[in-house]
Amino acid sequence: MIDRKGQHFLKLLDLTPAEIDGLLQLAAELKAQKKAGVPHRLCEGKSVALIFEKTSTRTRCAFEVAAADLGMHPVYLDPKSSQIGKKESIADTARVLGRMFDGIEYRGFGQEIVEELAAYAGVPVWNGLTNEFHPTQILADFLTIREHFGALKGKKLVYMGDARYNMGNSLMVGCAKMGMQFVACAPKKYFPDPALIAACEEICKETGGTLAFIEDPMAATGGADVIYTDVWVSMGEPDEVWQERIDDLLPYRVTADLMNNAGPQCRFMHCLPAFHDLKTGIGREIHEKFGLDCMEAEDAVFEGPQSIVFDEAENRMHTIKAVMAASLADWER
């Protein structure tokens, strides 16, 4: 049984490979109980605050359903429902909420915010997404990969597109921790921060993981077990960057040709939302401005038999449940 009682979950760099594996095992057990209809109210009577400075479908629903399944009461705080960072400092907010809640989730901007919340809250704090890291997403991704491949170690994951921010960073860290092969496929200016690359290279020396940074999509994707992509413009970035991203990243769209190049074993993953058709407002707007029917992935790939994006989306809830239970559960029950 994993022992993380009272601990924060801020970034995967803070966890050992054994701790990550333990969270994945716990998530698999809780998922099996959920599917079997077995109650698992391990945190009965506790309350958690969910701070969302950036909106979300999957993260919010995952935290709220997971909290309810564990017997907890979640309180959602959107940007209009909290004075965090505006009329009240991060430290003061943390000390107030820490006296009312048993745990705090934060989804928003700089990593320094969630780190400061953790420093002052006195209760476990969980990172639901910052500009730099998205650790709950990576747990969901890794649970999904284990379900489809049976293991993580040695698997080759290719991240296509802008690898400078939370998803590229967190996948690189996670792959290094779990002894996987991580490939960032993008123009050089979209590669992760050199200091973080260096830190992950040191981790790889202990785990057997590998890192590669390749500009040629066909060279990068050969033999890949997973091809992973994300939207080209992150939350909070201005609309003006669309032209630049389309110009730079269109060659890195995940196509049927790239999936075929990887091989039949390859699976397609995306953390969502995805612009793979014209059924979204942004998708239609981009089509009108730039003439594109899809952006980071072709619809045939997204809807194809190798796509496991909705397994991945469901697993957000199971892995987030594991994170909260590991921090808060009264295991003696």
Side-chain angles (χ1 to χ4, degrees):
M1 181 182 297
I2 184 169
D3 181 14
R4 300 198 81 250
K5 187 72 177 285
Q7 295 188 43
H8 306 300
F9 184 76
L10 306 179
K11 56 187 183 297
L12 292 184
L13 284 168
D14 300 334
L15 277 69
T16 66
E19 287 178 315
I20 295 171
D21 183 69
L23 286 172
L24 294 174
Q25 289 186 39
L26 177 57
E29 293 168 9
L30 294 173
K31 181 176 181 177
Q33 290 177 18
K34 173 88 170 177
K35 297 292 186 184
V38 176
H40 41 279
R41 299 176 69 85
L42 301 170
C43 305
E44 189 75 60
K46 298 183 186 298
S47 297
V48 291
L50 309 179
I51 303 172
F52 278 70
E53 292 196 293
K54 289 183 178 179
T55 58
S56 168
T57 298
R58 279 151 299 282
T59 304
R60 177 181 177 178
C61 293
F63 268 101
E64 290 199 356
V65 174
D69 284 353
L70 290 170
M72 296 193 291
H73 174 61
V75 175
Y76 174 75
L77 299 171
D78 65 19
K80 296 179 181 179
S81 303
S82 168
Q83 299 298 339
I84 184 169
K86 297 187 282 290
K87 293 183 179 179
E88 191 166 51
S89 70
I90 306 301
D92 289 356
T93 299
R95 286 178 286 191
V96 169
L97 296 181
R99 289 173 178 239
M100 298 181 180
F101 293 94
D102 299 286
I104 301 169
E105 178 270 353
Y106 173 81
R107 178 184 177 91
F109 298 96
Q111 181 71 17
E112 70 276 4
I113 298 175
V114 76
E115 299 277 352
E116 188 173 1
L117 281 170
Y120 286 94
V123 297
V125 172
W126 311 297
N127 180 357
L129 174 142
T130 62
N131 294 339
E132 294 84 0
F133 296 108
H134 197 0
T136 60
Q137 178 66 56
I138 305 319
L139 286 186
D141 297 337
F142 283 4
L143 178 61
T144 308
I145 292 169
R146 288 217 321 200
E147 288 173 343
H148 284 267
F149 291 95
L152 294 174
K153 192 171 182 63
K155 297 304 177 200
K156 179 178 178 179
L157 185 149
V158 181
Y159 183 80
M160 304 288 298
D162 191 345
R164 299 171 296 174
Y165 299 120
N166 46 36
M167 283 309 304
N169 289 345
S170 295
L171 282 167
M172 179 172 68
V173 171
C175 287
K177 289 275 185 178
M178 303 312 287
M180 299 170 67
Q181 302 176 56
F182 174 80
V183 179
C185 183
K188 284 183 180 178
K189 70 178 184 178
Y190 292 99
F191 289 165
D193 177 70
L196 185 60
I197 291 174
C200 289
E201 286 174 338
E202 290 300 310
I203 294 169
C204 286
K205 292 177 182 178
E206 301 295 324
T207 66
T210 63
L211 309 179
F213 305 92
I214 301 173
E215 293 187 81
D216 181 349
M218 296 300 279
T221 54
D225 296 295
V226 174
I227 295 179
Y228 198 119
T229 193
D230 191 9
V231 294
W232 291 340
V233 175
S234 298
M235 284 190 297
E237 292 190 281
D239 290 343
E240 292 74 31
V241 304
W242 274 111
Q243 180 68 69
E244 177 189 13
R245 298 292 166 77
I246 288 170
D247 291 343
D248 290 343
L249 297 177
L250 195 57
Y252 298 90
R253 170 189 286 166
V254 182
T255 63
D257 285 343
L258 281 184
M259 296 299 295
N260 290 334
N261 181 61
Q265 81 291 338
C266 187
R267 296 294 178 265
F268 172 74
M269 299 182 73
H270 193 307
C271 54
L272 302 179
F275 300 123
H276 58 97
D277 56 22
L278 303 181
K279 296 178 182 178
T280 64
I282 292 177
R284 290 189 293 271
E285 183 179 337
I286 295 300
H287 176 69
E288 291 170 4
K289 288 184 178 179
F290 304 105
L292 300 178
D293 292 332
C294 59
M295 281 177 276
E296 69 274 8
E298 290 180 342
D299 191 55
V301 172
F302 187 90
E303 298 289 0
Q306 292 169 283
S307 175
I308 54 175
V309 296
F310 295 108
D311 292 347
E312 180 185 3
E314 178 193 338
N315 281 337
R316 293 299 309 285
M317 190 265 289
H318 303 299
T319 47
I320 282 171
K321 187 185 296 182
V323 167
M324 291 195 294
S327 295
L328 298 179
D330 297 322
W331 294 107
E332 64 272 15
R333 289 175 182 270

